[in-house]
Amino acid sequence: MTATLGKLGIWRISTALDPELAIEVEKLGYGTIWIGGSPPADLALAERLLDATDSITVATGIVNIWNSAPQAVAASYQRIVAKHPDRFVLGIGAGHREITDTYTRPYQALVDYLDQLDAAGVPKTDRVLAALGPKVLELAGDRAAGAHPYLTVPAHTRRAREILGAAPLLAPEQKVVVDTDQNRARATGRASVGMYLNLNNYTRNLRRFDFTDDDLAPPGSDRLIDAVALHGTAAEIAEGINAHLDAGANHVSIQALGDDPLPSYRALAEALR
């Protein structure tokens, strides 16, 4: 991979990211900012975050292939890397059948999209795929620098590493709630996780790792929420993040839930130092 991600990054929905936050998390030592929520093809936010910072990597998590034409994305990629070499990663994915009218043959659509990125000069070393199941994980290892799984657990990370092999990047996302009040923390987790339990690709993947229909019925069982939205002290959450690294992740993208993520990112930076 051309860019250096570091072991830890932050994941934040695009509408809640700004240069000020980027500057602060760079000071805290995080290696990458992941832009969530299907950023548009112009990649303007990525460029603004890079302009405002000195060395942190910026990645998209993820550009939706149904919403953003590959030629437009490639042109934006070329503009950004010319200005900020070795600091940008293009994450792409096929999104969700439930919310995409044109969703057909997603695996082949990803292959075709990657073919067009190849033709436009976007190297595999600068791109990752949103990947959960075995087939797309294999594609991520073959046609990209690696995989950026979302809403997973360390057991998935371990299996994904087996599928990818030793070399490709594996950068799972992990939600966290730095709060020792269990009921309040679970409520915060459910507010984020519940919407994903109506999306088949996530629920199908979680069933592979022993979560049941009862666990996955919205808004999610306590057992599920405790696994996918870690809560407790920063030190307790650090153990859960390290579990991904121990299972084979190169990098963990931490999504601190709540309106103001900075106190959580500060506490976790210290606990994970």
Side-chain angles (χ1 to χ4, degrees):
M1 174 160 243
T2 304
T4 300
L5 273 64
K7 284 192 174 182
L8 302 172
I10 76 152
W11 191 105
R12 194 77 173 157
I13 196 76
S14 59
T15 52
L17 271 173
D18 56 41
E20 290 74 21
L21 179 62
I23 290 167
E24 290 302 314
V25 297
E26 182 177 55
K27 290 177 182 176
L28 290 172
Y30 290 95
T32 304
I33 298 168
W34 292 84
I35 302 174
S38 301
D42 64 12
L43 303 179
L45 177 57
E47 187 170 10
R48 288 200 302 275
L49 299 180
L50 289 164
D51 286 346
T53 53
D54 295 322
S55 60
I56 199 167
T57 295
V58 173
T60 54
I62 46 85
V63 169
N64 189 312
I65 65 170
W66 309 105
N67 299 339
S68 298
Q71 296 83 3
V73 172
S76 298
Y77 162 85
Q78 300 291 0
R79 182 189 78 243
I80 288 171
V81 298
K83 192 176 183 182
H84 298 288
D86 302 339
R87 291 184 60 201
F88 178 67
V89 175
L90 177 64
I92 66 168
H96 311 286
R97 185 181 304 277
E98 294 85 352
I99 55 178
T100 304
D101 293 338
T102 56
Y103 194 99
T104 56
R105 302 176 67 209
Y107 180 85
Q108 187 59 49
L110 269 173
V111 170
D112 294 344
Y113 201 97
L114 289 166
D115 289 344
Q116 293 181 75
L117 291 180
D118 285 343
V122 179
K124 65 177 286 185
T125 52
D126 283 359
R127 62 197 192 202
V128 297
L129 300 187
L132 293 173
K135 193 172 181 181
V136 181
L137 283 165
E138 289 176 359
L139 184 67
D142 292 340
R143 298 290 307 276
H148 174 49
Y150 187 90
L151 197 70
T152 64
V153 291
H156 178 273
T157 298
R158 187 171 296 105
R159 180 61 181 138
R161 176 51 71 199
E162 292 171 356
I163 293 167
L164 285 166
L169 174 77
L170 179 55
E173 173 267 355
Q174 176 66 63
K175 294 173 179 56
V176 304
V177 185
V178 183
D179 190 341
T180 57
D181 184 311
Q182 183 169 262
N183 291 333
R184 186 172 58 209
R186 283 176 173 161
T188 301
R190 281 195 173 91
S192 174
V193 172
M195 62 177 285
Y196 299 114
L197 301 183
N198 294 307
L199 301 175
N200 182 61
N201 59 341
Y202 290 130
T203 57
R204 183 173 65 246
N205 185 62
L206 289 165
R207 283 188 180 92
R208 295 184 179 111
F209 299 96
D210 297 326
F211 291 101
T212 67
D213 289 346
D214 288 342
D215 288 321
L216 296 167
S221 70
D222 287 350
R223 174 174 174 258
L224 174 71
I225 299 303
D226 291 350
V228 297
L230 302 174
H231 67 265
T233 66
E236 290 168 338
I237 291 170
E239 293 180 7
I241 292 168
N242 282 325
H244 282 287
L245 296 169
D246 292 341
N250 309 93
H251 171 95
V252 180
S253 171
I254 303 169
Q255 182 179 175
L257 302 180
D259 293 334
D260 182 3
L262 267 176
S264 296
Y265 286 133
R266 289 188 185 108
L268 288 167
E270 181 64 28
L272 287 158
R273 196 176 303 280

